[in-house]
Amino acid sequence: MSLVGKKFPNLSVDAMNDLGDTFKVNVLEEAVKNNKKVVLFWYPKDFTFVCPTELYAFQAAVSEFEKRNTIVIGASCDTPEVHFAWLNTEKNNGGIEGVTYPLLADSNRNLASTLGILDITNETYNEETGVVTVEGDNVTYRATYIIDEEGVVQHESVNNMPLGRNVQEYIRLVDALTHVQEKGEVCPANWEEGKEAMNANRDGVAEYLAAHVN
């Protein structure tokens, strides 16, 4: 079930930062109490392949998100200790040294289960042994959420494991959300900051299509 248009789940999760501090993060509270947008991105596993490229891509864009009153938070089902080990591993060894935003360590999978983003299929129960088995790695897909200042999910997307994200698209979406909030207009296909938006009525779409669609 999609969370778009709904409040993000009110759950606190362990987190780790590059200083080795373990602390609790409640994504909903981060948005509401700080009056900021949040970009929360989940990745499958520490010490893997596509994942560090994404974490560095988000790190490179942190200042751009900050300019837009937006917090970046990464997340996986690894433990805080594994996060810290990865944060202290150099990039030439596949590590993420230099990443500064917090990483959720949802090792009990409370939040990932609530979001429905775990790689588990074909759950079966053996009546004789009482054992439940599943297929899949029980780690998260590449799910991404944009949450507004009131804690409402404005964007939700999920990539399969091999498909890395384009961080610039999340900057564009944050810009679009801000434009909607501030201008009361809606943002058409391929809209970018500085381009013309449109009024959400019959005249608005007619004027936009006449001017921009061949």
Side-chain angles (χ1 to χ4, degrees), residues 55-191:
L55 270 77
Y56 278 125
F58 276 101
Q59 180 64 39
V62 162
S63 63
E64 291 299 318
F65 285 113
E66 289 176 346
K67 290 176 188 175
R68 292 161 171 82
N69 195 43
T70 301
I71 300 168
V72 174
I73 300 174
S76 79
C77 296
D78 296 278
T79 65
E81 294 79 11
V82 174
H83 280 341
F84 189 52
W86 203 27
L87 285 161
N88 278 279
T89 301
E90 296 178 353
K91 61 180 67 175
N92 60 2
N93 282 322
I96 57 166
E97 187 178 43
V99 167
T100 59
Y101 49 81
L103 301 178
L104 301 188
D106 188 30
S107 55
N108 57 19
R109 291 160 172 75
N110 286 342
L111 183 52
S113 295
T114 300
L115 296 174
I117 56 173
L118 288 167
D119 171 28
I120 50 174
T121 57
N122 298 327
E123 182 173 316
T124 59
Y125 174 69
N126 186 314
E127 293 185 359
E128 292 183 3
T129 63
V131 173
V132 177
T133 60
V134 298
E135 294 180 13
D137 289 338
N138 200 23
V139 298
T140 65
Y141 294 106
R142 300 187 191 282
T144 314
Y145 299 85
I146 297 176
I147 301 144
D148 70 14
E149 297 87 343
E150 295 182 352
V152 176
V153 177
Q154 297 291 333
H155 168 85
E156 174 185 28
S157 60
V158 183
N159 290 9
N160 207 345
M161 309 299 186
L163 306 177
R165 285 162 279 210
N166 183 338
V167 173
Q168 293 303 310
E169 172 62 3
Y170 302 107
I171 293 175
R172 190 193 72 83
L173 287 168
V174 169
D175 284 341
L177 174 56
T178 302
H179 186 94
V180 171
Q181 291 172 325
E182 294 179 353
K183 306 294 185 182
E185 297 178 314
V186 293
C187 296
N190 299 324
W191 181 91

